[in-house]
Amino acid sequence: MEEEKIEAAREPLLSSNQGRPRKNKYALGCGALASMTSILMGYHVAVISGAQKYMQEDLGVSNTQIEILSGILNLASLFGSFAASYTSDRIGRRATITIASAIFFVGSLVITFATNFVILLVGRFVTGIAVGYALMIAPVYTSEISPTSMRGLLSSLPEVFINSGILLSYVSNLAFSGFSVNISWRLMFGIAAIPPAFLACGILAMPESPRWLVMRGHLGEARRVLVKTSDSPEEADARLQDIKEVVGIPLDCNEDVVIVPRSEKNKENIWKEMFTDQSTPAVKRIIFTVIIVQFFQQASGTEAVVLYTPRVLAKAGLKSDTELLGATILVGLAKLGFILVATFTSDKLGRRLLFLLSAGGMVISYVALGFGLEIIDWTHEENFSWAAVVCILAVVAVVMSFSIGFGPLAWVYSSEILPLRLRGQGASLGTVMNRIMSGVVAVTFISLYEAITVAGSFFLFAGITAIGWVFIYFCLPETKGRSLEDIEMLFE
């Protein structure tokens, strides 16, 4: 009887989806606002790309210390992702986003007024915690608030906003590069303290995640949020029934507030379900897929391109600060532009196709970049040449390819394949893998290219990405157009 009720609720939903309903502006607004922390994240990740030269001149920071400052942001985000998993379950998704904004504010101020490497390190660590918060909570909230017809679009917003932040950091690098050495880099970091103050206020107008509300027993409030964020009343009913079934609330329960038993034992059971013999083959495959997708997103090496673009372009023959930082903005524009392409096409073309195009394009681009750099080394060409043009175009092609698939869709795919009961812990595991690999790439890239040359580094990234393409081809099923609660069946 209960299964019949679910199917009866889903039938109108399917018919409404076939009629191509108009985009839900309320859900779009909520997703966009929740993803604003991702702008701050992208800004802080990439701003050191152009600021590092001035930090070295002002405070005497070494190349090794630059690697540490770049990598500590990602490694510190591990603490943030675990903390966000805890707070998002305890106090809600919305409050967790507010906490992330506050931590970004504090970290920006610490870095701005730093007088030595140790204080810089503390500031980057604090900011890294906020990065972990943003990485974990923004994709979860947007996937839970979005209707099925817009899930690809809304779930891609965090990545769109991350790349908007990266582009803004590149613009900031160029805009403040004309100031004195001891002021320029401080302005680059200090301006990032302004947005969190306004963002924290805006978040108060957002609704709480309907899934979190149901998990807390607030069915009446969850129903009101679902009506606003669904394409039709029928879809709202179907989504509510799906969530109630997963949480363990009787499907015929229509009270506004119910008691949902929760205990630490339940949390332990969640971890057991993921990692012990109690877990089903489908759950094991889902967790494995989340971790491996996040591994390849960062092991592909794009973090090196984001953090060290001026250094790579300098190897290609660009000399002046204006040329280097201007070309970096071009890279940022290409990255953001193709993120938008993926955002508006993932629900039409599907995740799998874009993943394959993305990984294949990155392999080709890395190989072209490697050969271009090798030719420059062989010819000892010091002036701008045709090989330099190849290198610049290859760098742009790398970020374009990454942005059309791996960039936004790794987070979309990871969030939507995780069952509700595992979503908080599973998303944290994916974020941990993502940040570990991001930190490893950031901390080791300068040492890596000093050991095997810049060209050799990109040949290595090409090989890793090619392995990722094979994994995607054989192991990733298509999730386009399926409800979050139905996707688990794909991994049976």
Side-chain angles (χ1 to χ4, degrees):
M1 178 64 70
E2 291 182 348
E3 292 180 356
E4 291 176 358
K5 290 180 179 179
I6 295 177
E7 293 304 320
R10 283 178 178 161
E11 286 177 4
L13 167 60
L14 294 175
S15 63
S16 66
N17 281 344
Q18 290 172 357
R20 296 184 180 274
R22 296 177 62 185
K23 299 299 184 185
N24 187 306
K25 294 181 180 179
Y26 183 75
L28 180 61
C30 292
L33 191 56
S35 301
M36 290 294 289
T37 54
S38 300
I39 288 184
L40 298 171
M41 178 214 152
Y43 187 93
H44 279 283
V45 165
V47 70
I48 197 170
S49 173
Q52 57 187 260
K53 174 184 177 180
Y54 307 104
M55 296 165 70
Q56 288 182 304
E57 293 180 13
D58 183 27
L59 301 181
V61 180
S62 67
N63 276 342
T64 300
Q65 289 173 329
I66 288 295
E67 284 184 317
I68 294 173
L69 290 173
S70 299
I72 195 65
L73 190 80
N74 300 306
L75 298 179
S77 66
L78 296 177
F79 296 94
S81 65
F82 278 119
S85 175
Y86 176 83
T87 58
S88 67
D89 284 343
R90 288 303 180 95
I91 63 176
R93 306 339 188 193
R94 186 176 63 174
T96 300
I97 296 172
T98 304
I99 292 173
S101 299
I103 301 175
F104 272 124
F105 177 78
V106 174
S108 298
L109 292 182
V110 172
I111 297 172
T112 301
F113 295 104
T115 56
N116 55 53
F117 170 73
V118 174
I119 299 177
L120 282 173
L121 192 63
V122 171
R124 291 286 283 179
F125 187 88
V126 171
T127 307
I129 293 175
V131 167
Y133 265 82
L135 274 173
M136 184 270 170
I137 194 59
V140 169
Y141 180 89
T142 52
S143 68
E144 293 180 345
I145 205 76
S146 60
T148 301
S149 64
M150 296 178 64
R151 195 174 65 243
L153 170 63
L154 292 182
S155 296
S156 295
L157 285 181
E159 189 69 20
V160 171
F161 281 56
I162 287 172
N163 285 276
S164 298
I166 291 173
L167 176 59
L168 288 173
S169 74
Y170 292 159
V171 173
S172 171
N173 291 154
L174 181 60
F176 296 123
S177 63
F179 288 81
S180 61
V181 169
N182 66 324
I183 295 296
S184 58
W185 69 269
R186 298 181 190 276
L187 291 175
M188 295 174 190
F189 284 101
I191 197 171
I194 299 175
F198 296 98
L199 180 57
C201 297
I203 290 172
L204 298 177
M206 290 166 45
E208 184 51 84
S209 159
R211 284 179 171 80
W212 185 84
L213 290 171
V214 173
M215 292 169 69
R216 287 290 172 174
H218 301 292
L219 299 186
E221 188 175 352
R223 188 179 296 108
R224 289 189 288 272
V225 174
L226 285 169
V227 168
K228 291 182 179 179
T229 59
S230 298
D231 293 327
S232 67
E234 293 82 9
E235 180 184 3
D237 291 338
R239 291 172 67 187
L240 181 59
Q241 293 293 80
D242 284 337
I243 300 169
K244 285 162 64 176
E245 182 183 28
V246 174
V247 172
I249 298 174
L251 299 183
D252 58 357
C253 179
N254 294 312
E255 301 293 329
D256 283 346
V257 180
V258 299
I259 296 176
V260 181
R262 295 180 63 86
S263 66
E264 291 303 314
K265 185 176 181 180
N266 290 336
K267 287 290 184 83
E268 294 176 4
N269 289 338
I270 291 175
W271 290 108
K272 287 180 180 179
E273 183 179 356
M274 290 193 292
F275 295 112
T276 68
D277 293 336
Q278 297 179 15
S279 63
T280 65
V283 168
K284 290 178 179 178
R285 293 187 189 106
I286 288 172
I287 298 302
F288 177 78
T289 299
V290 168
I291 292 173
I292 298 302
V293 165
Q294 295 294 348
F295 168 84
F296 280 117
Q297 194 212 43
Q298 292 300 328
S300 63
T302 52
E303 190 79 0
V305 177
V306 170
L307 293 176
Y308 301 108
T309 299
R311 289 176 182 254
V312 175
L313 295 178
K315 293 287 185 181
L318 299 184
K319 300 300 181 184
S320 72
D321 288 353
T322 301
E323 289 178 344
L324 290 171
L325 297 178
T328 301
I329 291 177
L330 175 63
V331 172
L333 284 170
K335 202 171 192 301
L336 177 59
F338 275 76
I339 283 285
L340 292 173
V341 172
T343 298
F344 290 103
T345 60
S346 63
D347 284 326
K348 181 181 295 185
L349 300 179
R351 286 54 155 157
R352 178 180 166 81
L353 175 61
L354 292 178
F355 264 129
L356 292 171
L357 291 174
S358 175
M362 290 175 68
V363 172
I364 295 172
S365 302
Y366 275 139
V367 171
L369 177 58
F371 277 120
L373 291 170
E374 282 287 2
I375 291 172
I376 291 174
D377 285 342
W378 293 338
T379 59
H380 302 289
E381 180 66 61
E382 295 183 357
N383 298 319
F384 192 78
S385 65
W386 66 268
V389 174
V390 170
C391 291
I392 294 172
L393 293 178
V395 169
V396 173
V398 166
V399 298
M400 286 166 55
S401 299
F402 177 81
S403 299
I404 202 170
F406 255 129
L409 296 185
W411 298 107
V412 173
Y413 199 86
S414 297
S415 293
E416 65 186 6
I417 67 174
L418 285 165
L420 173 61
R421 65 188 182 279
L422 309 176
R423 191 160 295 146
Q425 289 78 2
S428 289
L429 286 173
T431 302
V432 166
M433 175 55 75
N434 185 282
R435 292 298 90 193
I436 287 176
M437 292 312 303
S438 178
V440 168
V441 172
V443 169
T444 61
F445 182 68
I446 295 177
S447 301
L448 180 66
Y449 77 61
E450 288 178 346
I452 64 173
T453 74
V454 180
S457 301
F458 289 118
F459 286 136
L460 175 63
F461 291 144
I464 293 172
T465 308
I467 297 172
W469 189 95
V470 174
F471 173 79
I472 293 166
Y473 184 83
F474 287 104
C475 300
L476 263 62
E478 182 57 71
T479 60
K480 178 186 68 173
R482 293 180 176 266
S483 70
L484 292 176
E485 283 67 31
D486 287 340
I487 286 174
E488 184 176 355
M489 292 187 295
L490 292 174
F491 291 85
E492 291 290 347

